[in-house]
């Protein structure tokens, strides 16, 4: 009797969820989609604006608080964990696309099963990251510590551990914040991910400005990240009604499918991480912490272009995923035309602004503590504008889980441009990396455009 009552309650909850999540169609759906995209664009402009502002403030604040050489050592420490905290780690994007598709079709039990399976796969991946990180430290400890002139070996290890824990926590936060997409509130996903990035880094800068050393500043960042995660999980528990403990199920097949599907997604952030941070470590090995600070700061400055331009495509991620689940290819085609136009326009405007004002701003921004290398700057600028194009357009593959072929090409080109960049750096210096990076980015753009066109024909 109690079992029957239990099932009845859950069925009532299930039907209530179905009634509260109607799917519109036709012209009304297009209007509703445009309204949701507009809200997401506003949220992304605000969140990316705050992120860019923080990146601009971090450089002078940390240089003033710690000095340029120690700031360079901080960049070396923050390379890999810093990028991990911003990536989707494969499973996050692939699983949440499926979860959102299930909810768009009102299959909430399937959404629950995918959610639980994704959590299991995510924690397995995080465990693998910890194991690989420990193995790398054991093998390359001496070489890595040799990159530092100010920090001791114990300081390097302690701060590295704090940063890795912080990065892994950010991955879990990113995964769960995406659940707001199932409520038709992708803007909340954007807002929580922005808070997860901005607030902890702002706390780190504030702590450094008050005189905290690298260890205490990193600890402050981790504590703030933990607090935000707990607050967000409480919000999800109250608002995402389809997550019910009694419904949570998984299977070996579901876990295997998610892990397999994550490979393509994981290849993209892995490729980005390899390119960004292998080049940083190579620059550190062939130069000094001051040059690392110069190279990384100038690259951060120019890569604000992709952060801004990518809004054109990334703001439509959730809408593309839902339209694909419904088979609304006309809506996807309309969004593709809009994204392409906006991407080209925004990239051109941003590049022109950097050409006219970049040198002046950079010298003011760094207070003259870091040198301005014209060749390096313009090479990074060209690279960044091409990256902006594929960051924006690749959403049409990411949102529909069609990334395997593209991801493989991306990974191969990443390795080739690093090798070629290293060879060129022996002739012209560190500018060799962004020059070859621009060649690689142009190739990736060409492949991506072909892939998106092919995917459209096959629908």
């Amino acid at each position: 009797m109690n079992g029957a009552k239990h099932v009845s309650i859950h069925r009532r909850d299930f039907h209530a969820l179905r009634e509260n999540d109607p799917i519109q169609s036709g012209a009304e759906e297009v209007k509703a989609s445009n309204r949701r995209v507009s809200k997401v664009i506003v949220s992304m402009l605000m969140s990316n604006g705050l992120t860019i502002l923080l990146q601009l403030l971090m450089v002078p604040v940390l240089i003033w608080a710690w000095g340029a050489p120690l700031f360079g050592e901080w960049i070396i420490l923050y390379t890999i964990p810093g990028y991990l905290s911003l990536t989707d780690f494969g499973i996050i994007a692939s699983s949440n696309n499926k979860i959102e598709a299930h909810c768009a079709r009102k299959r909430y039990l399937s959404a629950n099963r995918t959610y639980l399976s994704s959590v299991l796969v995510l924690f397995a991946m995080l465990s693998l990251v910890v194991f690989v990180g420990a193995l790398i430290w054991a093998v390359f400890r001496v070489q890595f510590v040799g990159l530092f002139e100010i920090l001791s070996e114990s300081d390097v290890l302690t701060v590295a551990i704090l940063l890795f824990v912080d990065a892994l926590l950010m991955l879990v936060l990113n995964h769960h914040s995406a659940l707001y997409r199932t409520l038709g509130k992708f803007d909340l996903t954007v807002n929580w991910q922005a808070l997860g990035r901005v607030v902890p880094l702002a706390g780190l800068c504030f702590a450094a400005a008050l005189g905290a050393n690298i260890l205490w500043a990193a600890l402050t960042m981790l504590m703030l990240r933990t607090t935000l995660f707990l607050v967000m999980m409480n919000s999800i528990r109250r608002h995402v009604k389809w997550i019910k403990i009694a419904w949570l199920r998984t299977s070996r097949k579901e876990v295997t499918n998610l892990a397999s599907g994550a490979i393509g997604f994981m290849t993209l952030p892995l490729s980005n991480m390899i390119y960004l941070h292998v080049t940083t470590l190579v620059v550190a090995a062939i130069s000094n912490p001051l040059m690392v600070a110069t190279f990384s700061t100038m690259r951060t400055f120019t890569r604000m272009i992709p952060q801004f331009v990518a809004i054109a495509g990334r703001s439509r991620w959730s809408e593309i995923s839902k339209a694909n689940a419904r088979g609304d290819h006309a809506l996807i085609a309309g969004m593709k035309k809009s994204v392409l136009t906006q991407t080209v326009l925004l990239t051109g405007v941003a590049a022109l602004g950097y050409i006219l004002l970049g040198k002046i701003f950079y010298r003011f921004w760094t207070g003259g503590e870091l040198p301005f290398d014209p060749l390096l700057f313009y090479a990074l600028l060209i690279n960044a504008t091409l990256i902006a194009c594929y960051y924006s357009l690749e959403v049409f593959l990411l949102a529909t889980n069609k990334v395997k072929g593209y991801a493989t090409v991306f990974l191969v080109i990443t390795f080739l441009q690093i090798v070629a960049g290293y060879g060129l750096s022996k002739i012209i210096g560190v500018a060799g990396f962004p020059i070859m990076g621009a060649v690689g980015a142009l190739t990736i753009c060409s492949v991506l455009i072909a892939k998106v066109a092919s995917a459209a024909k096959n629908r």
Side-chain angles (χ1 to χ4, degrees):
M1 182 71 180
N2 289 338
K5 182 178 180 181
H6 186 68
V7 171
S8 176
I9 291 174
H10 287 161
R11 285 177 177 170
R12 184 172 65 249
D13 290 341
F14 180 67
H15 289 300
L17 283 169
R18 290 175 62 94
E19 292 169 1
N20 290 332
D21 188 37
I23 294 181
Q24 296 164 300
S25 60
E28 290 184 1
E29 173 55 29
V30 173
K31 292 179 181 178
S33 176
N34 290 336
R35 286 195 297 269
R36 290 192 294 267
V37 169
S38 297
K39 290 177 66 176
V40 174
I41 289 175
V42 171
S43 294
M44 282 190 163
L45 284 172
M46 293 180 62
S47 63
N48 284 18
L50 287 173
T51 301
I52 290 172
L53 178 62
L54 182 60
Q55 289 174 337
L56 293 174
L57 290 174
M58 279 184 70
V59 173
V61 168
L62 296 184
I63 289 177
W64 172 78
W66 295 336
L70 187 55
F71 174 58
E73 296 194 1
W74 162 260
I75 291 174
I76 296 172
L77 273 173
Y78 195 61
T79 49
I80 295 176
Y83 189 77
L84 277 175
S85 68
L86 298 178
T87 185
D88 59 24
F89 210 56
I91 184 62
I92 298 175
S94 62
S95 64
N96 279 288
N97 283 344
K98 291 183 178 181
I99 291 171
E100 186 170 31
H102 285 316
C103 289
R105 297 174 181 132
K106 304 179 183 179
R107 298 174 180 172
Y108 297 105
L109 295 175
S110 297
N112 270 268
R113 184 173 62 250
T114 302
Y115 164 71
L116 179 59
S117 301
S118 70
V119 170
L120 295 176
V121 174
L122 178 61
F123 275 97
M125 289 182 169
L126 297 185
S127 300
L128 181 61
V129 169
V130 172
F131 173 76
V132 172
L135 184 61
I136 291 174
W137 172 260
V139 175
F140 297 104
R141 176 181 61 84
V142 176
Q143 293 88 337
F144 185 68
V145 173
L147 299 175
F148 298 87
E149 299 174 357
I150 301 174
L151 294 174
S152 66
E153 180 177 335
S154 61
D155 288 337
V156 169
L157 177 59
T158 303
V159 175
I161 291 174
L162 289 175
L163 292 180
F164 263 98
V165 172
D166 177 74
L168 298 183
L169 181 61
M170 185 65 188
L171 283 168
V172 179
L173 186 148
N174 285 342
H175 178 55
H176 284 82
S177 66
L179 294 176
Y180 289 107
R181 289 168 50 182
T182 65
L183 304 177
K185 296 181 178 180
F186 190 35
D187 54 313
L188 288 182
T189 293
V190 172
N191 291 339
W192 273 109
Q193 291 181 353
L195 285 173
R197 291 193 307 269
V198 172
V199 173
L201 285 174
L204 177 136
C205 291
F206 187 70
L210 292 179
N213 59 25
I214 287 182
L215 174 61
W216 283 104
L219 183 60
T220 300
M221 182 171 67
L222 175 58
M223 292 173 63
L224 287 171
R225 190 101 64 190
T226 302
T227 301
L228 282 171
F229 173 71
L230 294 175
V231 172
M232 185 199 69
M233 289 302 295
N234 183 59
S235 172
I236 287 175
R237 183 182 61 82
R238 290 186 291 110
H239 292 101
V240 184
K241 302 296 186 182
W242 57 266
I243 296 183
K244 295 181 179 295
I245 296 176
W247 288 0
L248 293 177
R249 298 289 187 274
T250 188
S251 66
R252 179 180 298 178
K253 181 179 179 181
E254 181 81 12
V255 170
T256 302
N257 288 340
L258 282 178
S260 175
I263 293 175
F265 278 94
M266 186 167 57
T267 302
L268 293 176
L270 179 63
S271 300
N272 279 320
M273 184 174 67
I274 289 171
Y275 178 70
L276 286 174
H277 302 309
V278 167
T279 53
T280 300
L281 295 175
V282 172
V283 170
I286 65 177
S287 60
N288 54 63
L290 182 60
M291 178 54 73
V292 173
T294 301
F295 177 79
S296 296
T297 300
M298 193 169 285
R299 185 171 61 181
T300 298
F301 179 41
T302 55
R303 284 179 74 92
M304 291 177 187
I305 295 176
Q307 289 179 277
F308 174 64
V309 174
I311 293 174
R314 300 294 170 124
S315 61
R316 291 169 169 82
W317 185 312
S318 182
E319 297 306 309
I320 295 169
S321 180
K322 286 187 286 190
N324 185 68
R326 296 191 304 268
D328 192 347
H329 304 308
L331 181 59
I332 295 177
M335 286 189 285
K336 183 172 68 174
K337 183 178 180 180
S338 298
V339 169
L340 182 60
T341 302
Q342 292 169 10
T343 297
V344 173
L345 179 62
L346 292 173
T347 302
V349 171
L352 180 61
Y354 271 72
I355 291 171
L356 295 176
L357 303 173
K359 180 178 179 179
I360 297 172
F361 181 83
Y362 179 83
R363 286 181 169 171
F364 170 77
W365 179 39
T366 60
E369 293 290 328
L370 300 177
F372 180 86
D373 184 332
L375 178 60
L376 178 62
F377 174 74
Y378 287 110
L380 285 167
L381 179 60
I382 294 171
N383 193 14
T385 55
L386 292 169
I387 290 172
C389 292
Y390 70 68
Y391 265 23
S392 183
L393 295 175
E394 68 184 8
V395 69
F396 289 96
L397 298 182
L398 297 175
T400 55
N401 288 353
K402 298 176 180 178
V403 298
K404 287 186 178 180
Y406 170 64
T408 301
V409 172
F410 200 109
L411 182 61
V412 171
I413 292 175
T414 295
F415 279 109
L416 291 176
Q417 66 190 29
I418 290 175
V419 173
Y422 176 70
L424 190 58
S425 69
K426 294 182 178 181
I427 302 173
I428 62 174
V430 297
F433 288 106
I435 289 174
M436 296 313 301
V439 175
L442 180 60
T443 306
I444 290 171
C445 281
S446 301
V447 172
L448 175 62
I449 291 172
K451 286 284 185 182
V452 171
S454 176
K457 290 180 182 179
N458 293 332
R459 289 191 181 109

